Amino acid sequence: MSGYFDHIAPIRYEGPDSNNPLAFKFYDPKKMVMGKTIEEHLRVAVCYWHNFCWDGADVFGGGTFGRPWLSGANNHQAAEAKLDAAFDFFDRLGQPFFCFHDTDVMAEAQTPKEHVENFAEIVDKTEAKMANSKTKLLWGTANMFSHPRYMAGASTNPNPDVVEFCALQVKHCLEATHRLDGSGYVLWGGREGYDTILNTDVRHEMDQLGRFVSMVVEHKHKIGFKGDIWIEPKPHEPTKHQYDRDVATVYGFLKTYGLEKEVGVNIEPNHATLAGHNFEHEVEMANAFGIFGSIDFNRGDPQNGWDTDQFPNDLRENTMALYYILKGGGFKNGGANFDAKVRRQSCDAEDLFHAHIGGMDLLARAFINAAELIKTEKLSSFVDNRYAGWTSGMGAKMMAGEASLDDMAEAAFNKDVSPAPLSGRQEYLENIVTQYTK
Ligand code: XLS
Ligand code: NI
Ligand code: NI
């Protein structure tokens, strides 16, 4: 036990009238909605990185948090102390899953051999911890962006030696994810892009990425990993132009390299907004192409142009997103993680709990709203009705490939009038969402 969280009692559901800041008001894990519990629907995961690996440093100043396990060198003892603290936190919060980057959990390595050894050592210890905890692994991922070797790209680096190192990291991290019974494996491409076209062979880099992701898929099948592989789209930051800009771009990439049946997406709302989309747009694009996987439910700051990774607190935005997630069938192997990056002044153990309790409460509320919206069918029946014309006549013929441009033009010509405008009823539909956002 780390001792760091000793003054915090396990978090319980106390209901909406509770004034206890360290209790759930809406996240009642055993509440049944649409045939499953809230816990089973949302599959909440706590992430390692911002919570247990970040000391509060920003580009202008050093750490503010004083987490004991981060106070010295990142050696084996520190990695173990961090593991103790993380599982102590998980056991008190009671969420079902966690997720990690390889470098989050392990002692820092100087050589490739040390990387493999240090990671293997902590994976053994994590496995032992998991045996005594209810917390399971949602997904693992390799950090291929922090180390200076990745400054010019990870698998899209012009230097194949760097890409070999990526293979080393991903091989071991995917195998560890498999061994720890993870449901998914994430590839976030923060350095998979370019800063200036002047030094970049874009097509070559895209082909590298295509081949690299294919190798990851081949390895998944070779080792018998049954979980999913997800790319996490983001338009920029840290790299100016990232190749996995948004869901539609990722789909185009997957299709180009024949990976669309093998790889899905891990959508992050703040990445969506950075790409100029709203959250539900990205969810529905993924549903439309059959690549929906998991969600990193982080909110951004509407006045900032960067990724703040804060816990979700916008009820309407998340009601909308969960509506489209549910409409697509809900989470399967995926789940809900939110990075819950607390602000730099939030330097106490309590602050980590407030962020996670707030995020889980908000998601539970939004989920119940979304389930009600599904049940009323007010939105879906409107949409079905709007497209009803395609089930018969020329519309059906066109979609079945049985009408040519000539046929359609002739049908239009034979009608004496041009089609009358039909209201899209946006205000009416928005009011329904407002009515169900509670
Ligand atoms: C950064 C990403 C990152 C991924 C995991 O913007 O959100 O934290 O989720 O590598
Ligand atoms: Ni993310
Ligand atoms: Ni992010």
Side-chain angles (χ1 to χ4, degrees), residues 12-23:
R12 307 266 176 246
Y13 171 70
E14 291 185 4
D17 296 329
S18 167
N19 282 316
N20 178 2
L22 291 171

Side-chain angles (χ1 to χ4, degrees), residues 104-295:
D104 295 341
V105 292
M106 62 187 270
E108 195 175 339
Q110 302 306 329
T111 63
K113 185 165 175 284
E114 243 177 63
H115 179 95
V116 173
E117 288 169 359
N118 293 2
F119 186 53
E121 182 170 329
I122 200 74
V123 171
D124 284 347
K125 292 193 169 126
T126 308
E127 190 174 44
K129 271 277 182 209
M130 288 172 72
N132 294 312
S133 168
K134 285 195 322 204
T135 316
K136 298 190 284 285
L137 179 62
L138 186 65
W139 50 264
T141 186
N143 177 333
M144 301 193 296
F145 45 89
S146 296
H147 194 279
R149 81 175 75 88
Y150 295 125
M151 70 178 184
S155 71
T156 58
N157 200 293
N159 179 357
D161 293 350
V162 176
V163 185
E164 284 177 10
F165 209 105
C166 293
L168 178 95
Q169 279 192 254
V170 174
K171 169 187 153 68
H172 289 280
C173 196
L174 182 60
E175 289 173 3
T177 302
H178 179 36
R179 183 170 145 203
L180 300 177
D181 208 20
S183 307
Y185 184 84
V186 167
L187 295 159
W188 172 61
R191 304 275 177 202
E192 307 290 33
Y194 65 89
D195 291 325
T196 173
I197 197 85
L198 295 172
N199 63 14
T200 305
D201 182 339
V202 167
R203 183 62 204 244
H204 197 277
E205 292 200 358
M206 295 292 295
D207 288 348
Q208 287 173 224
L209 187 62
R211 184 61 202 127
F212 190 82
V213 178
S214 301
M215 294 191 312
V216 176
V217 168
E218 287 156 16
H219 197 70
K220 163 190 154 160
H221 292 304
K222 183 170 161 189
I223 64 176
F225 177 56
K226 297 279 177 269
D228 294 343
I229 294 182
W230 303 307
I231 289 179
E232 186 176 312
K234 188 174 184 182
H236 44 75
E237 195 212 9
T239 309
K240 178 163 166 65
H241 304 275
Q242 280 170 214
Y243 296 131
D244 53 3
R245 177 181 171 77
D246 59 5
V247 170
T249 308
V250 168
Y251 185 73
F253 162 80
L254 294 174
K255 197 81 184 151
T256 303
Y257 296 96
L259 291 162
E260 74 277 11
K261 301 251 181 314
E262 294 281 1
V263 178
V265 283
N266 184 37
I267 296 169
E268 186 165 316
N270 196 185
H271 299 183
T273 49
L274 290 171
H277 301 303
N278 55 26
F279 184 8
E280 61 273 20
H281 166 88
E282 289 293 80
V283 171
E284 195 57 355
M285 287 301 275
N287 284 340
F289 292 113
I291 56 169
F292 178 79
S294 201
I295 303 276

